[in-house]
Amino acid sequence: MPIISPSVLACDFANIQSEVERINSSNADWFHIDIMDGVFVPNISFGFPVMKAIAKHAQKPLDVHLMIVNPDQYITDCKNAGAEWVTVHYEACTHLHRTIQLIKSEGMKAGVALNPHTPISVLEEIIEDLDLVLIMSVNPGFGGQKFIGSAVDKVAKLKKLIDLKGAKTLIEVDGGVNNETGADLIKAGADALVAGSFVFKSNDVNIPIDQLKGL
Ligand code: DX5
Ligand code: ZN
C-alpha cells in the first residue's frame, strides 16, 4: 500500500490544530510540510514556528520539503522543529553529498527532490545514499497546479536505477496528485504520494486518502 503524505499547504491555516487532527485520525502516513523562501521558488509559505505548532499535534512523522536556497543552514532547525524526513532540492545544492550527510548526522532521513526538467541521471552517483527521491510533478511553489504527465515515466526510470543499484530509496511524487494520477504513479513504481488540494478540499479527508491508498 502506498504511503500517503497530505500537504498541509492546502489546509485551513486558521484552524491548524483541527486540520492536523483530521489527518491524525485518517489512514494517511505522514504530514508533508512545504517550506518556501521566495527565492528558490516564487512563493513564501511558512517557517519553523508553524512547523513546530504542527509537530505539537501531529501523531505521524513530518515529511519536510525544503524549497529554499542554502538548505544546510536550516537542517538543525528542521530537527528542532520535529522533522523526521528532510528533502532538499537537487537544484539548490552545490554540494549535495555534504547536505545529505548533514541531514543524516542529525538523525533524520534524507531525500532529494527533482524539478520537472531535471533528469534522473543526475542521481546515479548518489542514489545509494538517499532514503527518498521526490519527483516533482508540478513546478514547485504552489498547490493546486496541473499534473505534468512526464513524471510517470520519470518514476519508472528512477525505479530502474534504484533496482539496478540495489538501493533502498523510496520514490515519492508531489504535485497534482489525485485518484487518477495517483494510480498511474503507483503502477510506475511510486512508494509515496503527496496530495494537498485533493485531500484538504474534501469535507471528509478519509475519502481521498483511502482512494489514494487503494482501499
Ligand atoms: C508545491 C508543493 C506541494 C503542494 C502540492 O510546490 O511542493 O507539496 O502542496 O499541492 P497539490 O497536491 O494541490 O498539487
Ligand atoms: Zn511539497
Side-chain angles (χ1 to χ4, degrees):
M1 234 189 271
I3 292 165
I4 305 303
S5 192
S7 169
V8 300
L9 187 64
C11 87
D12 174 5
F13 286 116
N15 292 294
I16 249 182
Q17 181 176 353
S18 61
E19 290 291 71
V20 168
E21 273 154 13
R22 286 213 284 165
I23 302 304
N24 281 342
S25 59
S26 76
N27 286 317
D29 300 275
W30 297 343
F31 284 89
H32 187 78
I33 311 289
D34 289 302
I35 308 282
M36 304 177 187
D37 65 356
V39 179
F40 180 68
V41 288
N43 195 13
I44 297 176
S45 55
F46 52 81
F48 298 108
V50 172
M51 193 167 136
K52 272 189 191 156
I54 295 167
K56 193 172 155 198
H57 301 288
Q59 288 162 11
K60 301 168 194 270
L62 302 193
D63 159 37
V64 178
H65 178 193
L66 294 180
M67 287 162 272
I68 64 174
V69 297
N70 299 322
D72 293 29
Q73 228 178 302
Y74 300 99
I75 300 305
T76 307
D77 293 298
C78 283
K79 176 75 185 175
N80 293 338
E84 197 161 310
W85 294 77
V86 173
T87 295
V88 294
H89 264 266
Y90 168 81
E91 302 82 7
C93 295
T94 311
H95 302 286
L96 183 62
H97 185 273
R98 177 180 288 149
T99 307
I100 293 304
Q101 300 312 320
L102 180 61
I103 296 169
K104 290 183 165 181
S105 73
E106 291 280 10
M108 299 180 290
K109 302 275 191 192
V112 172
L114 299 183
N115 277 338
H117 73 279
T118 304
I120 296 299
S121 56
V122 299
L123 299 177
E124 269 172 27
E125 312 308 327
I126 199 167
I127 192 75
E128 288 147 288
D129 292 314
L130 305 180
D131 296 304
L132 181 146
V133 173
L134 179 57
I135 301 289
M136 291 306 302
S137 41
V138 297
N139 286 295
F142 303 91
Q145 300 183 82
K146 193 177 175 293
F147 183 79
I148 298 172
S150 55
V152 179
D153 276 352
K154 266 177 101 173
V155 167
K157 262 189 203 162
L158 174 58
K159 180 81 181 149
K160 262 193 203 151
L161 175 65
I162 290 169
D163 290 348
L164 183 75
K165 299 271 187 176
K168 293 192 172 57
T169 319
L170 294 181
I171 302 174
E172 186 177 40
V173 187
D174 184 6
V177 171
N178 58 32
N179 51 334
E180 283 167 22
T181 56
D184 293 343
L185 292 165
I186 298 301
K187 239 181 268 162
D191 303 292
L193 300 174
V194 176
S197 335
F198 184 58
V199 168
F200 281 101
K201 301 301 174 228
S202 178
N203 287 333
D204 180 358
V205 295
N206 293 293
I207 297 170
I209 288 169
D210 288 354
Q211 270 178 344
L212 291 173
K213 279 203 119 40
L215 290 170

